[in-house]
Amino acid sequence: MPGLCISHPVLSSQKGNFLISQFMDLMLKMKFIITYIAPWQITWGSAFHAFAQPFSVPHSAMLFLQAAISAFFSTPLNPFLGSAIFITSYIRPVKFWEKDYNTKRVDHSNTRLSSQLERNPGADDNNLNSIFYEHLTRSLQHSLCGDLMMGRWGNVDPGDCFIMASDYLNALVHIIEVGNGLVTFQLRGLEFRGTYCQQREVEAITEGVEDNEGLCCFEPGHLPHFLSLNAAFNERWLAWEVVVTKYILEGYSISDNSAASMVQVFDFRKVLITYYIKSIIYYTVRSPRLEEWLTNGAIVEGLGQTTEENYVDLDPTFYSHVDDDYDSKLSGISRNSFCAVYLDWVQFCASRRDKVIDNGKQSMLVSLCYGLSLLGRRALGTASHNTHNSASVSVDFFLYGLHALFKGDFRITSTRDEWVFADMELLRRVVAPAIRMSLKLHQDHFLCIEYDDNPTLYEAITNYEHNLVISHEADPAWRNAVLSNTPFLLALRHVFDEGSDEYKVIMLSKKYLSFRVVKVNRECVRGLWAGQQQELIYLRNRNPERGSIQNAKQALRNMINSSCDQPIGYPIYVSPLTTSYSSTNQQLRSIIGGEFIIANVKSFFQNVWKRMRQRCDVTCTGSSGVFQDDAPYALTCTHTGAARTYSPVEVFVQISVWSTIYKLMLHIYEIATERGDTDTDYLVQHGTEPTLSHQLNNWVLCRERSCSTWCFKVSNFCSCGILLCYSGRGTPGSQHADIALQPLGNRGSLVSTTSSASKPSALAQLTAGFMTDTSSVKETVNLKVRIMDTGYIYDNINLGRRIDVQWPNDEWRQNGGRNGWSGWIPMKGMEGVVVHRWAPCHRDILRRSHVDKTILLIQMGDKYVPIGEPGVMELGAEV
């Protein structure tokens, strides 16, 4: 039958797409096989590879048929134990097998307090460095989609794999899905201190090929901007290709210095202790609770004995080689020796306070600083296991105690320091930040930055306090600071991994990092991952130095295998599936514009209308030809320069608008007349000639509510908030009344109606109100709700991270999370008013939720609580 010869167009299209897709997979598999088994670049990782190499020759006869079968069923073709023999693996999903890929980072938020103090969990480089890959994921989320749309990564299809390599950050980027204006990807971060095999493959990626001038066995050179024959040949026999040589992303420059060399000499330790005491004094005097501490009875009683003139603390912790105020004659630290060294600094800090405070030698302030200095040094000695100056001899003991105080492990063992228990804020707000600040000041000492005078030291500490985050890396505040793009951070790291026990001072500086991006054959990635799963899970080969993970530069075998999921691979960070939007790329937005939403279209026409009012009203020969928004003072226009011809449309619109206002003002005048409000001494009339809108009579445009008790605000007609008031000179219907000119501050003024040339500007002033965005009125409906489930509260989406929601008001953001609540916690049953709403997939970025739930922003006094909509109960509109 003729109908049998006609195929359905939809089915034909599906078959064609399927065959083309499978053919492309076949080509990628063939490229992977030929590149992997090329004789001139064979890398034998073990003795089995050398044994299996001859047997792969007869096997290659069926290799092309095997590749075709694997391409048809979309199965990976993996090298058996990393050798040149390929076998077909089982069928896998074409796109992606999604699961929970969140890497568990060990810090103080998910470990017991006892383990934090004793065993220091997570003290290895891989756990501590994973935060930098998390920050890299956020930076990539901000710019990846726009860069792919602009072609910076070449042709990209779902399933493609890329490797980003830099000095210390090496990551595999897996493109999961590509949509219209969005890209979903996953980032897998590799070890900072990679193995020998990983370093060789990174060198292969970063090495330049333009310097190769070889031609077989000769070096005749090459043409400008061309590769030599040898370089071109080598580049073609690779399973990867460089697509971007310099890809710039926002990240952190990491510098680490050995802390042992900084405190090896007694003089260096003495500098550190001196800055430690000065920092304690700084934070004590600068504290807002200083007056409370000076009047606390328990503190005053505990420090009573230190007020004696001959008081000396003879604790064996103190040592003449490290304590600058040590009195050798008394074998301890006396009040006099302390004042001889630090009294000037105490008085200088006290002089910088707003309120005057007693800072004499016998004052309570000096006693408090003296007592805290003894407590701080004794706490350092206790943490260092110092009983008889052992901390002054052993660097390891001293660094152990310094790190313990740095992470907040203060142990008060002396009865002379028990007065601090009257207010533990003395440890949290004075001693803890002082030990951290002293480490930064001590580091500046090695940069030839001296703080010999008090003003320089004071300004340095103040500057670091505002611009530098100094924290322990296991503290959740460290992670929040990194993800919030804090410019500078500093930490003291204790690394205990594989027998190494060392301390490092880590300094982070925010800067732009350069990456080299290479595109890897995706069938190479699938095949190598499948081979590792087969070898480790089914063949039970647990050898960490197995031949299948040895370096192979032509396929980047080690980097690809190490990026596989744990426990098969060993990435230090695997990101969740992350979606990048084109609207977040600033350079792309400057080229094609922002998202096409109604709000942006309305804003565009509003801006066009405003510019038309500013630039196009030039026909008036007087000074009123300038739009009033550009005028620094009130302008007037008289009939002498008012020659203009109006179109019928303009006349009709003007008469309609002014007639409506006239009727409204007439009604207000009648009400005011009935009340007897006829006081008219507050306005001055300007001119008496008839105007085009003489129906308005003596109604005056102004902004001062004090001009009359019955002024009416026309908020529905004008966005500037003008007031229409009756001047009281004459009655409605009089032919000798004008609209008086009133100044409007930085908006110039409304144009006097005594000139017909001013009507278009006045009309534009009124019609601007009709173009204002009314969506905000709908958004701020005073809906009262009650919290029913605190599990829906989002208390950390106000950190300014790119992955968080966009806040419409910065004040709301600052008070809309745990860091702005100052210890206050929203509880079940609390009630508040909804002031904002974030909805999933909303077109407006200010109202778009970052999760698949609607989030409400509830105002409770001066606090703002973001909570999921299922966690509240509506109580109705707030009256």
Side-chain angles (χ1 to χ4, degrees):
M1 295 177 62
L4 297 177
C5 299
I6 302 177
S7 60
H8 197 280
V10 176
L11 297 179
S12 299
S13 175
Q14 292 179 350
K15 294 178 181 178
N17 292 336
F18 173 78
L19 293 177
I20 292 175
S21 175
Q22 303 311 107
F23 179 76
M24 296 301 298
D25 288 345
L26 175 61
M27 292 294 100
L28 292 176
K29 292 179 186 294
M30 295 305 301
K31 289 181 180 179
F32 169 46
I33 294 173
I34 296 174
T35 300
Y36 194 82
I37 66 175
W40 54 86
Q41 54 185 10
I42 292 177
T43 55
W44 292 339
S46 64
F48 173 76
H49 290 178
F51 175 78
Q53 188 69 32
F55 293 93
S56 66
V57 177
H59 174 74
S60 61
M62 296 295 294
L63 191 58
F64 294 101
L65 178 61
Q66 187 180 6
I69 296 175
S70 299
F72 182 80
F73 289 104
S74 299
T75 62
L77 196 63
N78 60 284
F80 180 69
L81 299 179
S83 65
I85 300 177
F86 284 83
I87 61 175
T88 302
S89 181
Y90 59 86
I91 300 177
R92 285 172 169 80
V94 178
K95 289 290 186 180
F96 199 80
W97 191 287
E98 185 175 358
K99 67 174 186 178
D100 184 11
Y101 287 95
N102 293 321
T103 304
K104 183 178 180 181
R105 183 175 185 269
V106 179
D107 57 17
H108 289 176
S109 63
N110 52 23
T111 55
R112 295 178 179 271
L113 179 60
S114 59
S115 62
Q116 298 173 19
L117 300 179
E118 300 296 339
R119 293 185 285 107
N120 194 21
D124 61 276
D125 277 345
N126 291 341
N127 178 72
L128 299 176
N129 291 333
S130 62
I131 184 63
F132 302 113
Y133 284 113
E134 187 174 359
H135 181 268
L136 182 64
T137 303
R138 305 290 175 86
S139 299
L140 204 60
Q141 181 187 20
H142 185 69
S143 59
L144 179 61
C145 183
D147 292 336
L148 295 185
M149 294 179 64
M150 291 186 288
R152 289 178 175 166
W153 286 31
N155 297 326
V156 178
D157 296 318
D160 286 347
C161 296
F162 297 84
I163 289 181
M164 301 173 57
S166 67
D167 295 335
Y168 50 87
L169 290 174
N170 301 292
L172 185 141
V173 180
H174 187 186
I175 304 298
I176 307 302
E177 191 60 77
V178 178
N180 184 16
L182 58 90
V183 171
T184 301
F185 69 96
Q186 185 181 55
L187 184 138
R188 299 167 178 266
L190 305 182
E191 293 178 319
F192 271 33
R193 297 184 303 172
T195 60
Y196 173 83
C197 297
Q198 179 179 326
Q199 293 302 319
R200 299 293 76 77
E201 293 180 355
V202 172
E203 291 175 0
I205 293 174
T206 57
E207 67 180 359
V209 296
E210 61 276 359
D211 297 333
N212 190 329
E213 299 181 353
L215 177 61
C216 294
C217 300
F218 308 97
E219 293 186 357
H222 56 84
L223 297 175
H225 308 292
F226 281 81
L227 295 178
S228 65
L229 181 62
N230 289 359
F233 181 82
N234 293 332
E235 290 296 308
R236 295 304 301 172
W237 286 95
L238 296 175
W240 50 273
E241 59 178 344
V242 179
V243 293
V244 185
T245 56
K246 290 184 179 181
Y247 184 66
I248 308 300
L249 272 181
E250 197 177 59
Y252 281 99
S253 173
I254 307 173
S255 62
D256 57 341
N257 301 312
S258 176
S261 60
M262 299 173 60
V263 295
Q264 186 74 38
V265 185
F266 285 154
D267 291 340
F268 293 162
R269 260 180 265 184
K270 189 174 185 178
V271 172
L272 177 63
I273 296 299
T274 301
Y275 284 138
Y276 180 30
I277 303 305
K278 289 189 175 183
S279 298
I280 288 178
I281 296 172
Y282 172 87
Y283 285 105
T284 302
V285 179
R286 283 288 303 271
S287 175
R289 303 186 61 178
L290 176 60
E291 297 180 357
E292 178 183 346
W293 293 335
L294 295 179
T295 57
N296 189 303
I299 296 178
V300 173
E301 181 181 356
L303 295 175
Q305 58 181 352
T306 64
T307 59
E308 300 176 4
E309 185 176 357
N310 298 325
Y311 177 79
V312 182
D313 197 314
L314 303 177
D315 196 290
T317 303
F318 308 137
Y319 193 47
S320 60
H321 289 177
V322 296
D323 294 311
D324 197 17
D325 54 349
Y326 186 84
D327 194 334
S328 301
K329 297 180 180 180
L330 300 176
S331 300
I333 300 177
S334 64
R335 184 186 182 97
N336 292 330
S337 62
F338 173 81
C339 293
V341 178
Y342 299 108
L343 181 60
D344 292 342
W345 174 245
V346 174
Q347 294 176 345
F348 179 83
C349 294
S351 65
R352 301 295 293 267
R353 285 179 56 91
D354 296 334
K355 296 182 179 180
V356 179
I357 190 171
D358 184 15
N359 53 22
K361 185 176 181 180
Q362 301 299 326
S363 62
M364 186 59 195
L365 175 62
V366 175
S367 300
L368 179 61
C369 295
Y370 175 50
L372 286 173
S373 70
L374 300 177
L375 181 147
R377 280 178 277 197
R378 222 177 336 252
L380 179 59
T382 301
S384 304
H385 304 291
N386 175 22
T387 55
H388 294 88
N389 300 331
S390 59
S392 302
V393 177
S394 174
V395 177
D396 295 335
F397 278 110
F398 186 82
L399 288 175
Y400 181 86
L402 182 64
H403 182 264
L405 264 62
F406 192 90
K407 68 179 182 180
D409 183 9
F410 292 92
R411 304 191 182 188
I412 307 302
T413 58
S414 176
T415 56
R416 284 168 288 183
D417 298 331
E418 292 182 352
W419 57 268
V420 77
F421 294 129
D423 193 344
M424 295 299 294
E425 291 296 302
L426 286 167
L427 292 177
R428 191 175 68 88
R429 295 193 177 187
V430 176
V431 185
I435 192 67
R436 297 175 179 177
M437 183 60 68
S438 64
L439 183 65
K440 174 57 181 172
L441 298 175
H442 184 253
Q443 191 180 33
D444 292 344
H445 177 75
F446 293 91
L447 300 177
C448 299
I449 302 177
E450 300 294 340
Y451 302 112
D452 296 332
D453 54 327
N454 293 334
T456 304
L457 178 59
Y458 189 91
E459 295 300 328
I461 298 178
T462 304
N463 180 54
Y464 289 147
E465 187 180 6
H466 289 86
N467 302 325
L468 179 67
V469 173
I470 308 177
S471 173
H472 187 246
E473 289 182 282
D475 192 343
W478 173 268
R479 178 177 180 272
N480 294 335
V482 172
L483 298 182
S484 300
N485 292 320
T486 304
F488 302 100
L489 299 96
L490 185 137
L492 179 62
R493 174 181 294 185
H494 180 204
V495 180
F496 186 77
D497 187 18
E498 297 180 357
S500 63
D501 188 2
E502 56 181 339
Y503 295 86
K504 295 180 180 180
V505 178
I506 306 297
M507 183 67 187
L508 305 184
S509 300
K510 184 181 175 183
K511 61 181 297 186
Y512 289 98
L513 306 178
S514 177
F515 292 88
R516 176 167 287 210
V517 182
V518 300
K519 184 177 182 179
V520 187
N521 187 335
R522 64 171 177 263
E523 290 301 325
C524 174
V525 178
R526 294 184 67 200
L528 292 177
W529 283 359
Q532 288 299 300
Q533 292 177 5
Q534 182 188 51
E535 184 176 359
L536 269 71
I537 296 178
Y538 297 105
L539 301 181
R540 302 299 181 99
N541 184 6
R542 302 295 179 85
N543 184 9
E545 297 297 333
R546 56 190 180 275
S548 60
I549 61 174
Q550 302 304 315
N551 69 303
K553 297 182 180 180
Q554 75 276 16
L556 302 179
R557 182 169 58 188
N558 181 268
M559 299 184 70
I560 292 175
N561 287 335
S562 61
S563 64
C564 190
D565 295 334
Q566 295 179 355
I568 298 173
Y570 39 90
I572 66 175
Y573 175 76
V574 179
S575 72
L577 299 189
T578 307
T579 302
S580 173
Y581 296 92
S582 60
S583 59
T584 58
N585 191 297
Q586 297 296 333
Q587 189 172 5
L588 181 65
R589 292 187 62 182
S590 64
I591 298 174
I592 66 174
E595 297 174 300
F596 188 81
I597 57 178
I598 301 300
N600 290 346
V601 175
K602 180 182 292 186
S603 176
F604 169 77
F605 283 108
Q606 287 180 354
N607 294 334
V608 170
W609 176 260
K610 183 177 181 180
R611 292 185 64 84
M612 287 176 60
R613 291 187 295 165
Q614 292 177 345
R615 306 297 181 187
C616 298
D617 191 12
V618 296
T619 57
C620 181
T621 58
S623 59
S624 63
V626 182
F627 182 64
Q628 303 303 320
D629 278 356
D630 297 332
Y633 50 83
L635 302 176
T636 59
C637 183
T638 61
H639 284 286
T640 57
R644 177 175 176 181
T645 303
Y646 292 96
S647 66
V649 176
E650 290 177 323
V651 174
F652 175 76
V653 173
Q654 290 184 57
I655 293 176
S656 300
V657 174
W658 291 104
S659 176
T660 303
I661 297 177
Y662 167 71
K663 293 178 181 179
L664 180 62
M665 295 298 101
L666 181 60
H667 178 66
I668 297 175
Y669 173 76
E670 293 175 352
I671 296 176
T673 304
E674 294 176 0
R675 292 175 53 188
D677 297 333
T678 57
D679 185 12
T680 60
D681 296 334
Y682 52 84
L683 288 177
V684 180
Q685 223 172 355
H686 296 275
T688 57
E689 298 183 13
T691 65
L692 179 65
S693 306
H694 61 273
Q695 294 90 345
L696 289 177
N697 300 309
N698 290 356
W699 295 98
V700 181
L701 295 169
C702 68
R703 295 184 70 178
E704 298 296 333
R705 196 174 285 272
S706 60
C707 63
S708 173
T709 58
W710 41 274
C711 288
F712 181 78
K713 184 175 182 179
V714 193
S715 58
N716 293 332
F717 290 94
C718 184
S719 60
C720 65
I722 61 174
L723 296 174
L724 299 178
C725 306
Y726 177 62
S727 66
R729 298 178 183 265
T731 59
S734 173
Q735 303 296 323
H736 302 284
D738 293 328
I739 298 295
L741 182 65
Q742 301 294 333
L744 293 181
N746 59 357
R747 289 185 56 87
S749 65
L750 291 174
V751 185
S752 171
T753 56
T754 56
S755 168
S756 60
S758 64
K759 295 303 182 296
S761 296
L763 174 63
Q765 184 75 13
L766 288 172
T767 55
F770 293 100
M771 298 185 65
T772 55
D773 189 6
T774 59
S775 60
S776 60
V777 179
K778 299 178 182 179
E779 191 68 33
T780 57
V781 176
N782 292 331
L783 181 64
K784 192 171 184 180
V785 296
R786 176 182 298 161
I787 297 178
M788 304 302 297
D789 188 354
T790 57
Y792 287 93
I793 295 178
Y794 297 86
D795 56 358
N796 61 349
I797 61 173
N798 67 326
L799 302 178
R801 302 171 296 185
R802 296 192 180 99
I803 199 173
D804 295 336
V805 296
Q806 299 294 323
W807 290 71
N809 190 314
D810 191 61
E811 181 182 356
W812 293 358
R813 183 184 65 83
Q814 293 177 359
N815 298 324
R818 180 173 297 179
N819 58 352
W821 291 341
S822 301
W824 177 83
I825 299 177
M827 305 296 291
K828 180 180 179 180
M830 290 186 176
E831 299 178 358
V833 180
V834 178
V835 296
H836 192 71
R837 182 189 303 266
W838 292 284
C841 304
H842 199 285
R843 291 183 176 273
D844 190 354
I845 192 173
L846 293 178
R847 303 176 189 172
R848 182 187 303 160
S849 174
H850 69 308
V851 293
D852 59 347
K853 299 180 180 63
T854 299
I855 302 176
L856 305 179
L857 183 62
I858 306 175
Q859 181 180 5
M860 297 181 178
D862 59 342
K863 306 293 190 306
Y864 295 87
V865 181
I867 185 173
E869 195 172 28
V872 300
M873 181 179 66
E874 297 184 3
L875 302 178
E878 176 74 6
V879 181

